[in-house]
Amino acid sequence: RADPTGLQFIIEEADIDGFCSHDINRNGIQDPAEPPLPGWTVELDSDDEGVADDTVVTDIMGQYGFIDV
């Protein structure tokens, strides 16, 4: 699609995934002894307006995924 500058942008969809775990020692790394966080809501603000455009809930292993965003 073209924008007012005359430049053309190709926007492709992608997947975003990750996991949530209890970082007991707060080192930013999921260590083997740190449990997953199932049932947590993860929000995606795809247009940076401060409002969640999509939400997903982590599974039993703390994993989540947004498809075709």
Side-chain angles (χ1 to χ4, degrees):
R1 89 180 173 206
D3 77 356
T5 65
L7 299 174
Q8 186 175 8
F9 295 91
I10 298 172
I11 300 173
E12 296 184 21
E13 295 178 341
D15 299 341
I16 300 171
D17 58 30
F19 62 90
C20 297
S21 65
H22 185 181
D23 190 10
I24 296 169
N25 61 4
R26 296 183 180 200
N27 67 353
I29 299 170
Q30 184 183 21
D31 299 313
E34 295 176 332
L37 296 173
W40 281 52
T41 300
V42 179
E43 298 179 340
L44 177 66
D45 179 8
S46 59
D47 53 14
D48 201 26
E49 291 182 345
V51 177
D53 298 303
D54 198 1
T55 60
V56 294
V57 177
T58 58
D59 66 14
I60 194 165
M61 298 303 295
Q63 298 175 332
Y64 65 89
F66 296 95
I67 309 300
D68 294 333
V69 293

